[in-house]
Amino acid sequence: MAEEQKEEAQEAKQGSPLIGLIIKGGIMVLLPMVLGLVVFLFVLYPRFNTESVDDSIMLVDDLIPLSEVIVDLEEQRVHLIIDDPDAGGAIMLYTVSIVVDREESAAIVSGPQTARFS
C-alpha cells in the first residue's frame, strides 16, 4: 500500500503536460506584446506626438520667401543615344523650372547656357 501511495503522489506532483504547454505559450505570446508596447510608448510615440511641436521649428512653407523668382530653362528636348542600331532615334521632351529666392540667384542660374543636366 505504501508503494501505491508513493506512485500516486509522484503522478500528482508531475502535473499535466497541458498546463506547462499553456504557460509556455502564454509567455511566448505575452512577452513580445509587452516588449512591443514598451518600445511603442517610449520610442515611437514621442516621435510621432504632434501636440508637443515647438513654434520655433520652421515649416516647409516658410523655406521659400515671398520674393521668389521662377527661372524657366530654355532647352526642352534631348536626343537619346540608344545602343541598338535598328531602334529609332528617341527624343525626350521636358521642361525645367527652378525657384530661387533672389534676383541675384536668378541671374546666376539663367546666366551662360551650358550643359547642366548631362
Side-chain angles (χ1 to χ4, degrees):
M1 263 212 168
E3 292 176 9
E4 292 176 5
Q5 288 179 353
K6 287 182 183 178
E7 288 177 11
E8 290 176 8
Q10 285 179 353
E11 289 178 8
K13 287 182 183 178
Q14 287 180 354
S16 172
L18 182 63
I19 299 295
L21 237 148
I22 291 173
I23 291 173
K24 288 179 186 177
I27 290 173
M28 291 173 69
V29 169
L30 290 177
L31 185 64
M33 285 176 51
V34 170
L35 290 175
L37 184 65
V38 167
V39 167
F40 175 76
L41 288 176
F42 294 110
V43 176
L44 298 176
Y45 185 71
R47 288 185 183 216
F48 295 120
N49 190 4
T50 58
E51 296 173 2
S52 64
V53 174
D54 283 342
D55 293 336
S56 63
I57 297 175
M58 291 179 57
L59 299 175
V60 175
D61 297 338
D62 297 337
L63 294 178
I64 299 175
L66 295 176
S67 64
E68 67 186 19
V69 178
I70 299 174
V71 178
D72 293 323
L73 300 179
E74 294 177 8
E75 187 169 341
Q76 297 180 352
R77 69 179 176 165
V78 149
H79 178 73
L80 301 175
I81 300 173
I82 300 176
D83 293 335
D84 187 14
D86 295 331
I91 295 178
M92 180 174 69
L93 299 174
Y94 63 92
T95 59
V96 177
S97 298
I98 299 176
V99 178
V100 294
D101 61 347
R102 295 186 306 237
E103 290 289 334
E104 295 86 13
S105 301
I108 292 171
V109 170
S110 63
Q113 298 295 322
T114 60
R116 293 184 185 95
F117 306 105
S118 56

